[in-house]
Amino acid sequence: MCSTNKPQTQSSKHDPPPPPFDPLQPSIPISYPIKTLEELASRAYFESFHYPFNKSSVPLRSSSSENRGRTLVCHDFKGGYTDDDKWIQGGINENAYAIWHWYLIDVFVYFAHYLVTLPPPSWTNAAHTHGVKMLGTFITEGTEGRKVCDEVFATKESAQLYAERLAELAANLGFDGWLMNMEVALDVEQIPNLKEFVSHLTQVMHSSVPGSLVIWYDSVTITGELSYQNQLNDQNKPFFDICDGIFANYWWEEDYPKQSAVVAGDRKFDVYMGVDVWGRGTYGGGQWNTNVALDVCKKSEVSTAIFAPGWVYETDQPPDFQTAQNKWWGLVEKSWGLVKFYPNALPFYSNFDQGHGFHISVEGGQVSNSPWTNISSQAYQPFLEFKDTPKPDSIQVSVDFKEASYSGGGNIVFKGTLQGHDEFTTRLFQGNLLLGELPLYITYSVKSDPGSLMGLTFHFSSASNENTSVLIAPHEMNKSSNNFGKVIAPRSIGSPETAAPGWIIQESSIEMNGYTLTEIHAVCYRPKPETRNPRLGYLSHDSAPNPSDYYAAIGDIRIKNSKQNPNFPSPNSWLVEAQNVKWNSGPPGSKLLNVKIVWNLKDGSKFEFSKYNIFVEKIPKKAVANSGRRVKGVQEYVGAAYVEAFYVSDFSTDPSTTSSLKFIIQACSIDGVFQKRDDSPFLQLDVEASHQVAIAISDSSKKCGTDATLGRRYIKHKDHQKLMWFDDSLQEIAKNVIVEMVRRIGKLEREIICLVMLSSFCCVSIIILSIILEMHDFVNTKFRIPVEEESRKRV
């Protein structure tokens, strides 16, 4: 952007330089930008090992385009691609930066100072879950930026070519458009091709990604000058006219938004007036006065573009990030109001996960106690109201990450003071869900202290604007039950066997045909004295709690039209494969495994899952005495995948005690229901074979080398007595395989390699190879050579 860059976090001068990044080599999947025009033009990104992992897995949900002012948020956080978001399969910073006030945002831009900034899929997934559009950034600045422009705008054809390259990236990676930031001066002769570039990109984006946006940043004028207008006027309107909106620079004065609205006419809401949270020349000063500028934009009936809200995190605003973040976004809500509502479609599920924490749970059972971050896991976020000065004698509401959760990494915790006849209620969600003839089935998990009860209220509005509410509460309230149109006692159902003690699953249903669900509230209350008994299922304590102390937590909530859980595909419906398998020596006595696991349904059908949990079971060598069966190993949580692939890196195992590794892929449906692990697809890899060389070759119907990830069948050569004759079509392939294997052995005489290359028949090559391997002690037990396509240990 145009103003002075804010301070950046610097690496120590003593840090060793990172190794060169080779996108073609298998490694832990990361997100990264495109830095050169050559990379963009050549489409090299699509050849990257990391490309399939960078696809967003969440389609844009329920994003409406009402005729109203909109809120665009431009990220610009620590230069982009930090340890908080570049690791696609998750990082280890439990206090990572995140945004969870998505209900105040219409459009999110992932911004950084690279030529092409591609949004990490975690940000796109979190935004799409909440109906927020995600844009990448195309920026040219400085001397190199001018060189880029000279090439891109050399001809009309080159302008169209690069526009199509950008549109192709957005369509394939699953985000919704581009912010165009041309911060270099141009020759006036280049302006027609610049306009062609913007126009063609807008048209191609609209055709390939319906609902997409191309936003022009207020920088270059129609005469080619780099001159920030800080409003919409005749100097930049020609660019505005050929795309979906303009991001006006943030040095505007009070009357500029209104003047811009006049120039835009019936497109006034496509004008996004910039507001810099860091306060660099912005109207009102930004920071804790950001709402001053927002109020002017709202009053002028234009949209707003909030730049760099990570200021709260980067400057360590007191008292802590969670509190400061809620307080700052509370200013936005007070000024601008809500722009998103949910639930607005079914099924609706939330476990209140913010995408970071200290542990991970699945259905009440903790599967990991390691710190983590991955905002792909963000569920629908609650609309918790921030109170700047909460009363000390009231209930405090927060998303808690420390205490064991029911699902994911967080719960909504209600803690504080509640006298015997008092009640406390607070908003959880604000929705816009029209109900039909089918009832709503509602399930939620609760954990609480003795004497602390938790209920839910659902507020409805009819077509004639008549309001009513339904209370779901396990026990009668002391005083206000009559304030509700209907009171329903939920049915407690058994928690999963893996759930920690204390979790109670409540289930109920509501029929409100023709009504619109508008709000969901939590209600904290005490049971009447006569209803207190040990059968309530609350956590027990050695001593009776203080009557005024209150504690309860909601772990998740599920709303749908059917009482039945989804029918997951059977295990044998899946095709699971291992690719890029590599074993390395680890600490003494151990092996380190690197492998890409991919899976899909055999019939090619699509079943909508929110994610996949990956577990591994180390199958021990020793069998149970006289049983003939394997001893079942412990299932260890490895990570979560949001595409049909997961890369396991440097997984350690002991070959002396472990016979094989069984990787289990546990699917989770979009309504929060997990497939049972025993019924999940899996991949089993033999550890004993880890010392053997396996070179993939295609079957005879494919060209050699076109697919190095085929499943494998192995021919055993024991004592060199059995040789495998190949047909003519495989002889050349086999010779290439032998040569490659010889090269891998290393330090051999050049004459031996030449002898193998000159072998006329594959059987001769195999004999020579066997002799060589025996000389080098490679044939100890079994030697295996892949010769044709077949799944390896598939389910």
Side-chain angles (χ1 to χ4, degrees):
M1 295 295 174
C2 62
S3 56
T4 304
N5 289 338
K6 58 185 183 296
Q8 298 294 331
T9 302
Q10 299 294 328
S11 299
S12 168
K13 64 181 180 180
H14 301 294
D15 291 343
F21 172 62
D22 184 351
L24 298 179
Q25 294 302 311
S27 62
I28 299 175
I30 65 168
S31 294
Y32 62 95
I34 294 175
K35 299 181 180 180
T36 68
L37 207 54
E38 291 74 20
E39 291 179 74
L40 177 62
S42 67
R43 303 177 72 249
Y45 185 86
F46 296 110
E47 303 299 321
S48 169
F49 174 81
H50 304 264
Y51 160 61
F53 295 94
N54 273 278
K55 295 181 179 181
S56 168
S57 59
V58 179
L60 181 62
R61 294 175 181 167
S62 305
S63 179
S64 56
S65 55
E66 299 96 337
N67 189 31
R68 57 164 175 78
R70 296 183 286 273
T71 304
L72 179 150
V73 172
C74 196
H75 184 51
D76 191 41
F77 180 77
K78 293 186 177 182
Y81 304 104
T82 68
D83 286 342
D84 295 344
D85 60 20
K86 75 176 180 181
W87 303 108
I88 298 173
Q89 295 180 170
I92 59 174
N93 181 9
E94 71 278 7
N95 295 311
Y97 178 72
I99 285 178
W100 51 90
H101 298 81
W102 295 103
Y103 48 87
L104 304 174
I105 305 173
D106 290 288
V107 183
F108 189 88
V109 179
Y110 193 83
F111 178 89
H113 290 272
Y114 299 102
L115 178 64
V116 180
T117 300
L118 302 169
S122 57
W123 280 101
T124 307
N125 289 340
H128 280 185
T129 294
H130 296 86
V132 176
K133 295 181 180 181
M134 174 62 66
L135 308 186
T137 305
F138 181 82
I139 185 171
T140 58
E141 50 190 349
T143 304
E144 290 301 316
R146 177 57 198 257
K147 292 178 181 178
V148 167
C149 290
D150 289 344
E151 184 170 343
V152 173
F153 309 136
T155 66
K156 177 180 178 181
E157 290 73 23
S158 62
Q160 292 179 345
L161 170 68
Y162 288 107
E164 290 168 6
R165 290 290 184 266
L166 292 177
E168 181 184 31
L169 284 164
N172 281 278
L173 294 178
F175 59 93
D176 309 294
W178 295 95
L179 172 67
M180 309 304 294
N181 191 355
M182 315 300 296
E183 293 203 65
V184 292
L186 300 176
D187 297 332
V188 68
E189 293 81 9
Q190 294 175 304
I191 298 302
N193 287 338
L194 170 59
K195 292 173 66 176
E196 179 64 27
F197 176 64
V198 176
S199 175
H200 193 64
L201 175 61
T202 304
Q203 294 173 24
V204 178
M205 282 301 310
H206 288 178
S207 63
S208 58
V209 183
S212 58
L213 299 174
V214 174
I215 305 294
W216 174 260
Y217 182 67
D218 168 28
S219 50
V220 175
T221 67
I222 198 64
T223 61
E225 296 178 271
L226 178 57
S227 177
Y228 308 101
Q229 303 299 298
N230 306 300
Q231 62 181 318
L232 178 66
N233 59 25
D234 58 358
Q235 291 298 300
N236 52 31
K237 189 172 183 292
F239 300 112
F240 172 79
D241 290 339
I242 56 178
C243 66
D244 299 303
I246 186 171
F247 182 150
N249 187 50
Y250 34 75
W251 296 341
W252 48 268
E253 298 177 11
E254 186 173 6
D255 57 344
Y256 285 14
K258 187 172 293 185
Q259 293 175 10
S260 298
V262 173
V263 174
D266 58 2
R267 290 188 61 199
K268 61 184 178 181
F269 295 131
D270 293 337
V271 176
Y272 298 83
M273 300 302 296
V275 180
D276 179 21
V277 180
W278 288 77
R280 298 158 295 190
T282 201
Y283 182 84
Q287 303 183 16
W288 292 109
N289 293 315
T290 298
N291 56 306
V292 174
L294 297 180
D295 290 343
V296 174
C297 295
K298 182 77 170 180
K299 184 178 179 180
S300 303
E301 294 189 297
V302 293
S303 295
T304 185
I306 301 173
F307 184 71
W311 168 83
V312 177
Y313 186 99
E314 293 188 64
T315 57
D316 295 321
Q317 292 297 303
D320 56 75
F321 174 57
Q322 284 281 322
T323 304
Q325 175 92 318
N326 289 331
K327 178 181 177 181
W328 189 88
W329 282 97
L331 298 175
V332 178
E333 180 176 352
K334 184 177 180 181
S335 174
W336 206 251
L338 303 178
V339 300
K340 298 293 179 185
F341 299 89
Y342 39 84
N344 52 23
L346 294 178
F348 174 80
Y349 176 77
S350 179
N351 61 2
F352 319 113
D353 198 325
Q354 282 188 4
H356 56 93
F358 299 86
H359 66 271
I360 295 175
S361 296
V362 174
E363 294 183 325
Q366 188 168 299
V367 297
S368 172
N369 60 0
S370 299
W372 65 281
T373 178
N374 189 341
I375 60 171
S376 277
S377 72
Q378 269 199 5
Y380 284 104
Q381 292 299 297
F383 295 61
L384 298 182
E385 299 173 85
F386 176 77
K387 296 180 180 179
D388 197 5
T389 55
K391 297 179 180 179
D393 58 346
S394 64
I395 299 295
Q396 308 300 311
V397 186
S398 63
V399 177
D400 182 88
F401 310 100
K402 297 287 182 69
E403 299 196 31
S405 59
Y406 182 78
S407 179
N411 307 305
I412 299 183
V413 169
F414 305 80
K415 186 185 299 185
T417 300
L418 189 66
Q419 299 299 328
H421 296 289
D422 292 340
E423 295 157 9
F424 172 85
T425 182
T426 189
R427 177 186 68 183
L428 294 183
F429 296 102
Q430 193 153 333
N432 184 24
L433 177 64
L434 179 62
L435 306 184
E437 296 181 357
L438 295 176
L440 290 181
Y441 290 95
I442 301 157
T443 306
Y444 60 100
S445 56
V446 177
K447 179 172 63 176
S448 63
D449 280 347
S452 298
L453 291 180
M454 173 64 65
L456 297 177
T457 60
F458 294 78
H459 297 258
F460 300 92
S461 176
S462 70
S464 57
N465 293 323
E466 296 178 359
N467 298 321
T468 187
S469 58
V470 176
L471 168 67
I472 297 179
H475 295 281
E476 187 178 352
M477 289 185 177
N478 285 313
K479 54 182 181 180
S480 64
S481 296
N482 295 330
N483 296 335
F484 300 96
K486 187 182 298 184
V487 179
I488 301 174
R491 183 173 68 93
S492 295
I493 59 178
S495 299
E497 294 180 3
T498 56
W503 285 108
I504 302 298
I505 313 302
Q506 304 283 19
E507 183 181 74
S508 189
S509 62
I510 301 175
E511 295 187 35
M512 298 292 292
N513 186 12
Y515 280 79
T516 297
L517 174 61
T518 57
E519 293 183 42
I520 302 174
H521 287 234
V523 182
C524 305
Y525 67 102
R526 302 283 189 191
K528 288 186 175 181
E530 62 270 19
T531 64
R532 294 187 182 183
N533 61 74
R535 297 173 58 191
L536 295 180
Y538 303 115
L539 292 173
S540 60
H541 292 266
D542 294 335
S543 59
N546 186 318
S548 64
D549 290 342
Y550 183 94
Y551 171 85
I554 300 180
D556 66 351
I557 182 171
R558 179 180 297 112
I559 305 173
K560 53 186 183 178
N561 279 139
S562 173
K563 190 175 181 180
Q564 302 299 318
N565 286 331
N567 293 319
F568 290 96
S570 62
N572 60 6
S573 301
W574 295 89
L575 182 66
V576 186
E577 294 184 290
Q579 299 179 1
N580 308 112
V581 181
K582 184 178 181 181
W583 292 90
N584 294 318
S585 296
S590 69
K591 289 286 186 180
L592 300 178
L593 171 65
N594 294 275
V595 59
K596 179 184 177 183
I597 305 172
V598 296
W599 57 91
N600 53 67
L601 290 168
K602 293 179 181 178
D603 61 4
S605 62
K606 293 294 182 181
F607 194 100
E608 191 172 2
F609 297 111
S610 63
K611 67 175 180 180
Y612 303 87
N613 286 328
I614 312 299
F615 295 87
V616 64
E617 181 181 337
K618 295 180 179 180
I619 307 298
K621 284 187 173 181
K622 296 180 180 179
V624 178
N626 302 322
S627 70
R629 294 181 297 176
R630 293 277 192 183
V631 177
K632 187 172 183 179
V634 175
Q635 293 180 354
E636 175 185 344
Y637 177 79
V638 179
Y642 297 88
V643 293
E644 285 72 35
F646 189 85
Y647 187 73
V648 178
S649 175
D650 288 341
F651 184 82
S652 179
T653 188
D654 184 352
S656 66
T657 60
T658 304
S659 66
S660 61
L661 298 176
K662 179 181 179 182
F663 290 95
I664 301 166
I665 299 107
Q666 181 190 40
C668 179
S669 65
I670 59 173
D671 60 358
V673 177
F674 289 88
Q675 187 172 21
K676 294 185 182 301
R677 286 188 226 168
D678 289 345
D679 297 332
S680 298
F682 65 89
L683 171 78
Q684 196 157 326
L685 294 178
D686 189 357
V687 175
E688 292 178 332
S690 65
H691 67 284
Q692 297 163 349
V693 181
I695 304 171
I697 60 175
S698 303
D699 63 26
S700 57
S701 65
K702 297 176 182 258
K703 292 182 179 179
C704 179
T706 59
D707 187 354
T709 60
L710 295 171
R712 299 153 183 171
R713 177 186 295 163
Y714 294 89
I715 298 293
K716 299 179 181 179
H717 290 260
K718 186 176 181 180
D719 300 327
H720 321 300
Q721 294 176 357
K722 295 183 180 179
L723 299 179
M724 184 68 185
W725 286 88
F726 295 76
D727 60 26
D728 293 339
S729 64
L730 289 178
Q731 287 187 24
E732 188 63 30
I733 294 175
K735 285 189 286 185
N736 291 334
V737 169
I738 301 304
V739 171
E740 180 61 23
M741 296 180 74
V742 171
R743 285 173 177 163
R744 292 191 185 189
I745 295 171
K747 297 182 180 179
L748 295 180
E749 293 295 330
R750 184 178 302 175
E751 291 79 7
I752 297 178
I753 297 178
C754 292
L755 177 62
V756 175
M757 295 178 67
L758 293 173
S759 299
S760 300
F761 298 99
C762 188
C763 61
V764 177
S765 297
I766 293 176
I767 295 172
I768 295 173
L769 177 64
S770 298
I771 296 171
I772 295 171
L773 291 176
E774 188 170 70
M775 291 168 57
H776 289 268
D777 295 322
F778 270 73
V779 182
N780 296 324
T781 53
K782 301 175 183 177
F783 177 63
R784 301 173 177 184
I785 302 175
V787 296
E788 62 183 66
E789 178 182 9
E790 182 177 321
S791 298
R792 181 184 183 186
K793 305 276 186 167
R794 294 180 189 166
V795 178

